[in-house]
Amino acid sequence: MNMKKVIIPFILLLFAGNVFALSIDLGMDEVLIVDNSRVSFDVAQNNPNLVLLMVETPNGSVLKGLTFGESLYVNGVNYTVGRLDPQKMILTLHLSGNYSKTEVLKKKDFKVEILEAFDTYVKLRIINTGYYDLNDTLIISSQGLPVEERPIFLKRGESITLKVKVPSNQINVTAEENKISKTVTIESFEELISLENLWKDDRIHVKLKNHGDPANVTLKLLFNGLTVEKKGITLERGEEKEVSFESNINQGALVIDYGVIKQESFYFETPVISLVKVEKEKDKLRIWLKNEGKGKFVGKVSVYQNSFIVGEPYYRSIEIDPDKEGLVEFEVPEDAEFLTIAISSGTYSSTFPVSLKTGLDVKALNSYAKGILGGKTSYTLLINGNGNVKLGVEGLPDSIRASFYYNEAEVKQLNVVKSTQVVLLLQLPNLPQGFTLNKPFKFNVTINGIKIPLELEVSGIGILPVYGDNWLAKMNYTSEYHHLGLPYKVVGKDITPPFVFEPAKGEKIAIIYGNYIRQGKDLRIHLLDTSGKIIASSTQGKGRSDYVIFNQSKFMLMIEGGGYFNSILLVADYLEVPKNITFEVKRKEFGEGLRTFIINASSLRGKTLEISVSSSRDVEVRAYYFTLNREKEDFDPLSTNFKGAFKGRGEEIQGALEIRSYEDFIAVAIIGEGNVTMKFNVKGGELGVRELSSRVIYLAVLGLLALLIGVIWLEKKLG
């Protein structure tokens, strides 16, 4: 006991003394700086275990041969030799005593930084990071080829900047005499000269920007592979400069040469100039033109009558930016009624006949049109009179796009001379938004305030074939309204038209399954009201059946997916939990009564569900497991080949299903006619849960007991 009291304080004091010691790994090519002292070492040639430790201070140097564990004390610092790695020549040195800072530096070393990397050159900064001056020859190479060789002399911390051109993104920098090599990788090369803009009016304009050092740039304009014009410029760092070519071409290529040759092809669309409005007051004629094209228009305007120029002056020059209007004025004969406006440029010409008489008469050659969702329909309008007209529509839903066409060109305004025929084209949406299918509605075309009433009817309801191996499917039965409880085959691409189902009250489920799940595709069900508005959408992930649960009595459904898909759609009554219900099964349009219930079985897992059906007349009851995709595909209530869990026929039918641990749904179909009561009884499951709980508690008690025994044994062992 007395020995413990002596040893323990001694050990604590020993540890406390070592807290202030510092261990440093020092290579033979490195220098240790301790405040103002410089420490290095060598190894004796005749004795590899003898370390020659040198400490240089402002007052002098000390060199001493030391072996493992021996120390050298200089200027209040004790240097103790630790382990020496003979392979790597690294010495572990233990420092203790009075010092404030330490630093390990290579005796000779340098660092390479990439300042900028362009497609014509790379700038490198070489920094001396070693302790001693670096007096050497630098060799810069890439892909094994030397690209630059230069003598350097750098004091500690000094740097030099080099500009080189390299063939790859890896650069190797070597100090030849000291045999120090560094490799840097360039992530990406930037363009030294970038093409900022390329546009055309009466000439072709180019804007270039220099991102690096000053550069000389040569530009060539090519047409059909031949140089038609050449320019040379100098760009300073960061400078932008515009260059103009006199050549008036719409298509060609621009070659930019600044040590790297780049080619940019271009195509300028032919200008599209429309006549907006013409006004005449005595002999003063004002003409408004609009540039409908994408490029600036620069050209001339003249006024003709009977093929002779009558406008004064003979022409007016005009420049119009894209989507902007321009105005020109002429003097014309005061009695002129019919004139021709001529517009021309180097690559474009057009004429507009105008009448200066007033008065319009508008008729619709067809006031009613019918189209289908996703399609187009049109009306033909006849305009009699003279003058400029503005075309528009009112009362049309936003989902329908309206366009006016004259001579196959889309127009919004038009100058009418005597008689003109215009077509109103309507692009119908894929969804019935803002209108009701198969229900005509009215809207107006407006022409200079004149309203022409038109009527539109949109159809496009999808019709689905019955799924399964049953008599309805074999006779290819279809109907405008789809029936609840009956599975349908859905084959589509991207998105289907809406499918209308028979109205039904109560909570329902719409579910899709089938081949698309095996193909790894992801579909969505969209629930719509009768106006086409999406009320809800399914959110299940890929590889699972999609479904929506809803209460709307009048509804439509759409299926959306990526590309082609093949699936099965079922809409049925839905029970969140089994509950006793009474209902009537009526004969449907196809001649058989059918009522299908999808029951959520997730709360019944591990239990038995007993089903009892009573009916005023004979009916058939079919129960199916409805969880796995294959089981859903087996659901075919009208098939003679039954693949479900159980079935029965009569006025009293009973059956039971063992609900599996992964069960999601079961399906029950009632076929026939009559007043039906369906009752459910859930059995089993609770004993298993209690047994499992007891077993868990038992195991927990055993674990605590074992832990207690272990603690007692350990206490005796230590005591």
Side-chain angles (χ1 to χ4, degrees), residues 339-459:
L339 299 172
T340 299
I341 311 299
I343 303 166
S344 64
S345 69
T347 57
Y348 173 80
S349 64
S350 182
T351 58
F352 298 95
V354 296
S355 173
L356 304 176
K357 290 185 176 182
T358 59
L360 291 174
D361 178 52
V362 185
K363 293 181 180 179
L365 299 185
N366 62 311
S367 60
Y368 168 84
K370 185 174 183 179
I372 63 172
L373 288 173
K376 298 177 181 179
T377 190
S378 63
Y379 303 83
T380 302
L381 307 171
L382 185 62
I383 307 173
N384 294 311
N386 298 283
N388 190 68
V389 297
K390 187 175 182 180
L391 309 170
V393 295
E394 64 178 21
L396 198 64
D398 293 338
S399 60
I400 300 176
R401 183 179 180 272
S403 305
F404 291 94
Y405 285 86
Y406 171 69
N407 287 342
E408 298 184 357
E410 186 176 352
V411 294
K412 296 180 180 178
Q413 298 186 37
L414 187 66
N415 191 71
V416 176
V417 180
K418 295 184 180 179
S419 181
T420 300
Q421 190 168 288
V422 177
V423 175
L424 169 61
L425 183 68
L426 300 182
Q427 175 66 58
L428 305 177
N430 293 319
L431 292 174
Q433 297 174 333
F435 58 90
T436 303
L437 292 172
N438 300 322
K439 184 177 180 180
F441 63 92
K442 294 183 178 181
F443 67 98
N444 294 323
V445 167
T446 61
I447 300 179
N448 284 13
I450 302 173
K451 294 185 179 182
I452 303 93
L454 301 176
E455 191 172 36
L456 174 64
E457 183 177 356
V458 182
S459 61

Side-chain angles (χ1 to χ4, degrees), residues 23-36:
S23 297
I24 294 177
D25 289 335
L26 183 65
M28 189 175 287
D29 61 343
E30 294 176 329
V31 174
L32 171 62
I33 309 299
V34 181
D35 292 337
N36 294 325

Side-chain angles (χ1 to χ4, degrees), residues 29-31 105-110 128-136 175 177-180 182:
D29 61 343
E30 294 176 329
V31 174
L105 296 174
K106 292 284 187 182
K107 292 179 180 178
K108 290 194 176 183
D109 198 10
F110 65 88
N128 182 6
T129 57
Y131 183 80
Y132 296 105
D133 297 341
L134 185 63
N135 186 8
D136 209 321
E177 295 176 12
N178 288 283
K179 301 189 183 313
I180 305 171
K182 306 287 184 179

Side-chain angles (χ1 to χ4, degrees), residues 97-137:
N98 184 22
Y99 61 90
S100 59
K101 63 178 181 178
T102 62
E103 183 182 9
V104 176
L105 296 174
K106 292 284 187 182
K107 292 179 180 178
K108 290 194 176 183
D109 198 10
F110 65 88
K111 181 173 68 172
V112 181
E113 293 180 350
I114 299 173
L115 299 180
E116 53 188 23
F118 292 107
D119 47 10
T120 56
Y121 70 84
V122 177
K123 273 190 181 179
L124 304 175
R125 177 184 286 143
I126 313 298
I127 307 170
N128 182 6
T129 57
Y131 183 80
Y132 296 105
D133 297 341
L134 185 63
N135 186 8
D136 209 321
T137 299

Side-chain angles (χ1 to χ4, degrees), residues 39-53:
V39 183
S40 59
F41 78 95
D42 202 346
V43 177
Q45 296 293 329
N46 56 356
N47 184 4
N49 295 321
L50 183 63
V51 174
L52 302 177
L53 189 67

Side-chain angles (χ1 to χ4, degrees), residues 21 56 82 113 123 132 134 168 173 185 192 219 294 299 304 401 414 423 434 440 477 494 585 634 656 695 703 714:
E56 300 174 76
E113 293 180 350
K123 273 190 181 179
Y132 296 105
L134 185 63
S168 75
V173 183
T185 301
L192 178 65
L219 296 100
K294 296 181 179 179
Y304 289 79
R401 183 179 180 272
L414 187 66
V423 175
Y477 170 81
D494 296 333
V585 182
D634 289 341
R695 190 171 299 171
L714 185 61

